[in-house]
Amino acid sequence: MAASDDPYKMDNIFEEPASYVPAAPAPRKIVGRPGVDELAEGVIAGDRSMLGRAITLIESRNPKHQKQAAELSLKLLPHAGKSYRIGITGVPGVGKSTFIEAFGCNLIEAGKKVAVLAVDPTSPITGGSILGDKTRMARLGVQDNAFIRPSPSGGSLGGVTRTTRQTLIACEAAGFDVVLVETVGAGQSEVAVSDMTDFFLVLMLPGAGDELQGIKKGVLEIADMIVVNKADADNEIRAKQAAVHYRNALHIMQQRSPNWQPPVEMCSALKNIGMDDIWARLEEYRTTLTATGEFQEKRQGQRWKAVWSALQDRLMTDLRSHPDVVAELPRISEALKTGDLTVTLATDEILSLFQGPGKD
Ligand SMILES: Nc1nc2c(ncn2[C@@H]2O[C@H](COP(=O)(O)OP(=O)(O)O)[C@@H](O)[C@H]2O)c(=O)[nH]1
Ligand SMILES: [Mg+2]
């Protein structure tokens, strides 16, 4: 090798050698799992991979991780609160995924950042409402300004609710302007979602079925807007009939807010028709209720409700895993079967096992 070709020769020390290859980036300070501080910083900076890891921590059922997740949420909270939280429900097949895809893409075109979450306690069976439909959100899924997170699999509704609430806060801290929380029209999950969102949107099918299309009547009571989807092609007349039907149904119902009569709109998620009107209604709601103070009041009320729901969840988890309770459950269950214990006595016994000696 000629002397001048030697990149390490003293004469060349201040020159870049011809064979210079940029050094690999220095290894991250923390190898493996990032700590809570690092996660918080990353999320607040809008780093999507850090957001993903933060959510994984939030979803973990390991008690140590849950403690860290609580610390993380505390750090994120001051940076949260600025998004519009929108709950979306409707029976399977109504077009939730198609709607979220179209609506979300429109919002992104308008310069917004959109996160999509799901509350689906049935997900072990259905494979998760969002995950199962990821193909229907193909366009939204690839957007830089979109973040789609399927429902954590398994777990109680209470557990799923807690993690979704914390995930929502994390998405807000990461700078998302709109968070769409989807739920299937099953069980209590609609109420849970309406308790963590600012606005609850119910999608309906065309056709004026008296049976309210398998959606329980209670759902209409928590709807801030009803949208009849699939108002396209041959469906248009039936969509209008459905709209009239729901307008009448909502009219005789007690309004949740003195300042908001839930409207009924029509749209075609498939053809991307009617989305602007829906967004205009959402904006109208936010403006009106912010002016009266209800918007903030509702959020405060939701935080307090969340405390109670978390308490319930934690107490039940503790109770079910309490060693004395676990040890005695088979005997108590058997005594209940044979009639040696009544429901009240069995309840009392489980409670006193949980509370320990000296209490009743
Ligand atoms: N004609 C029509 N079909 C739609 C519309 N929105 C959704 N669909 C179709 O309805 C079916 C169910 O939609 P999907 O979004 O998966 O419903 P989800 O189960 O509520 O998420 C799919 O075949 C969609 O293509 C619409 O606006 N018009
Ligand atoms: Mg779907």
Side-chain angles (χ1 to χ4, degrees):
M1 191 199 285
S4 58
D5 287 336
D6 180 1
Y8 301 104
K9 195 169 174 267
M10 283 309 279
D11 308 4
N12 291 347
I13 197 122
F14 296 115
E15 282 174 25
E16 252 186 33
S19 60
Y20 180 77
V21 178
R28 296 185 82 92
K29 265 199 310 263
I30 298 169
V31 183
R33 258 179 213 288
V36 169
D37 283 334
E38 202 190 345
L39 274 178
E41 262 170 51
V43 169
I44 293 161
D47 179 330
R48 300 163 62 93
S49 86
M50 286 302 222
L51 177 60
R53 297 177 115 187
I55 297 172
T56 304
L57 181 71
I58 287 168
E59 288 172 356
S60 168
R61 282 188 240 168
N62 173 329
K64 198 179 116 207
H65 293 163
Q66 292 197 357
K67 213 169 221 172
Q68 289 173 336
E71 278 171 46
L72 176 67
S73 293
L74 196 64
K75 287 186 195 292
L76 296 180
L77 205 55
H79 301 269
K82 288 181 283 262
S83 87
Y84 199 167
R85 307 165 181 174
I86 302 167
I88 296 178
T89 196
V91 292
V94 71
K96 293 180 294 298
S97 305
T98 314
F99 179 87
I100 289 168
E101 160 96 347
F103 193 65
C105 284
N106 290 0
L107 289 175
I108 283 173
E109 262 166 47
K112 303 206 183 308
K113 289 180 77 180
V114 180
V116 182
L117 312 177
V119 170
D120 184 3
T122 62
S123 60
I125 302 154
T126 63
S129 55
I130 289 184
L131 194 62
D133 288 343
K134 256 224 157 136
T135 46
R136 297 236 162 78
M137 295 198 221
R139 214 155 54 88
L140 186 62
V142 297
Q143 301 282 336
D144 279 343
N145 284 336
F147 182 83
I148 301 180
R149 185 79 180 192
S151 177
S153 62
S156 63
L157 177 61
V160 174
T161 307
R162 179 184 55 76
T163 57
T164 308
R165 226 194 121 76
Q166 287 186 1
T167 299
L168 197 154
I169 301 293
C171 289
E172 280 188 350
F176 287 90
D177 308 295
V178 178
V179 183
L180 304 174
V181 186
E182 180 196 325
T183 187
V184 289
Q188 288 297 300
S189 63
E190 297 100 336
V191 176
V193 169
S194 88
D195 277 345
M196 69 172 88
T197 49
D198 304 314
F199 192 99
F200 195 62
L201 190 160
V202 180
L203 286 176
M204 293 285 189
L205 291 164
D210 274 355
E211 71 291 353
L212 296 175
Q213 307 185 12
I215 288 257
K216 285 178 274 13
K217 284 196 176 160
V219 170
L220 292 189
E221 280 161 28
I222 56 173
D224 294 307
M225 170 160 60
I226 287 178
V227 175
V228 181
N229 187 33
K230 308 198 184 184
D232 50 44
D234 299 342
N235 289 325
E236 251 175 279
I237 291 173
R238 290 171 60 241
K240 281 191 184 132
Q241 285 172 344
V244 170
H245 177 83
Y246 291 118
R247 254 175 226 128
N248 291 337
L250 287 178
H251 214 78
I252 55 170
M253 228 170 249
Q254 169 112 41
Q255 274 175 241
R256 276 208 297 168
S257 155
N259 300 303
W260 186 254
Q261 170 68 44
V264 178
E265 297 280 341
M266 293 190 291
C267 80
S268 168
L270 197 65
K271 305 221 160 110
N272 200 358
I273 298 170
M275 300 289 154
D276 292 348
D277 287 344
I278 293 168
W279 180 247
R281 290 299 203 163
L282 278 152
E283 286 282 49
E284 189 188 330
Y285 176 91
R286 178 157 60 169
T287 312
T288 310
L289 273 75
T290 300
T292 63
E294 280 171 87
F295 201 83
Q296 283 312 313
E297 256 170 46
K298 184 170 170 178
R299 281 194 175 181
Q300 270 150 21
Q302 287 176 339
R303 280 167 62 79
W304 190 230
K305 266 193 202 174
V307 169
W308 283 95
S309 130
L311 271 175
Q312 203 173 342
D313 194 46
R314 273 227 228 147
L315 280 173
M316 280 313 289
T317 308
D318 289 356
L319 185 141
R320 281 181 202 282
S321 60
H322 192 285
D324 295 350
V325 173
V326 171
E328 295 297 322
L329 273 188
R331 181 187 56 78
I332 296 173
S333 154
E334 193 52 38
L336 192 68
K337 257 190 242 160
T338 57
D340 290 332
L341 277 180
T342 63
V343 168
T344 308
L345 287 174
T347 312
D348 286 349
E349 208 171 307
I350 293 172
L351 257 186
S352 61
L353 284 166
F354 177 57
Q355 289 168 334
K359 291 178 193 143
D360 48 317

